Amino acid sequence: EDTLEIAEGLQQHLEEQGHEVALATKAAHALALACSFRPELVVLDLGLPDRDGYDVVEQLRARGESVPVLILSARGEEADKLRGFRLGADDYVTKPFGGGELFARIAALLRRAARAAAFGESAPASPSRPGPLADETLRDRFGLTARQVDVARLLGEGHTNQEIADRLGVSYFTVRSHTEQVLAKLGVASRAAVGALLYGGS
Ligand code: CA
């Protein structure tokens, strides 16, 4: 949020509620903070001085970040909101906003995220978060090795074990063993589910 009056007001209020708040007034800073600060929730303005807020949410999702994003913007047309949701936002509040509603929505998103974490839900599998999971997400979050990432990508594209073996120049049995590991690590039961998880759809 680049309007300091709004940004600092929100910061103060959220801190009074016991939240730790990091403030970014530019898109580039917001994207950097997403990595370093690891927020549990992002409140995102659209009109930022360097780049559009839409770019921020799109980049976060492309990186495989599942952090809830609430867009807070003066752009109130349905098309603006739909674009935000399509890019992976979780909620949208228009300015001027009532503090009561905004803070209730923030609390609801945090509750939902906590519930999802408690049930071990993998947020990127949600159909509201389209786009392929980044390789680093597959490695860091799911613990796949570099070779297993290659196998997962090819499985997701619908290749058979033999085709994958030929592509990667390894034996059929090596691929079969990697495939079992990939399914186990991703927590899915079938090869088809790998495609759904990596590339969306069902
Ligand atoms: Ca702004």
Side-chain angles (χ1 to χ4, degrees):
E1 171 64 67
D2 59 326
T3 303
L4 280 182
E5 191 187 344
I6 295 176
E8 288 172 352
L10 281 178
Q11 178 169 26
Q12 186 186 347
H13 202 98
L14 288 166
E15 282 176 351
E16 282 167 6
Q17 294 176 351
H19 298 292
E20 195 180 339
V21 179
L23 173 57
T25 54
K26 289 186 174 180
H29 187 198
L31 284 165
L33 273 178
C35 286
S36 57
F37 182 73
R38 307 300 309 166
E40 289 172 44
L41 177 93
V42 175
V43 178
L44 180 65
D45 181 23
L46 290 179
L48 293 166
D50 52 342
R51 289 162 69 181
D52 211 303
Y54 290 123
D55 284 349
V56 173
V57 67
E58 188 171 26
Q59 283 251 342
L60 288 175
R61 297 308 180 226
R63 287 184 195 169
E65 296 278 359
S66 59
V67 59
V69 173
L70 182 152
I71 292 176
L72 180 63
S73 174
R75 299 183 205 170
E77 300 290 324
E78 185 181 29
D80 300 319
K81 298 178 186 175
L82 290 180
R83 184 175 173 201
F85 284 117
R86 199 173 59 240
L87 292 173
D90 298 279
D91 205 348
Y92 198 113
V93 175
T94 51
K95 297 173 184 170
F97 58 94
E101 182 188 350
L102 177 65
F103 296 120
R105 287 181 178 276
I106 287 173
L109 282 173
L110 290 172
R111 270 201 311 274
R112 201 177 307 155
R115 268 202 306 272
F119 283 99
E121 254 178 47
S122 168
S126 155
S128 67
R129 305 228 162 72
L133 291 183
D135 285 358
E136 69 180 20
T137 305
L138 291 172
R139 286 198 302 269
D140 297 347
R141 188 177 310 161
F142 294 99
L144 269 60
T145 64
R147 179 45 60 90
Q148 286 166 358
V149 169
D150 294 339
V151 171
R153 293 262 173 245
L154 292 166
L155 280 174
E157 290 167 14
H159 293 283
T160 64
N161 282 358
Q162 188 59 57
E163 287 168 350
I164 296 171
D166 294 343
R167 285 265 191 126
L168 299 180
V170 298
S171 80
Y172 172 85
F173 295 100
T174 301
V175 172
R176 196 172 68 177
S177 137
H178 280 315
T179 299
E180 284 170 12
Q181 287 282 314
V182 166
L183 295 182
K185 287 181 175 178
L186 295 179
V188 297
S190 69
R191 310 163 68 93
V194 174
L197 180 63
L198 262 58
Y199 300 114
S202 57

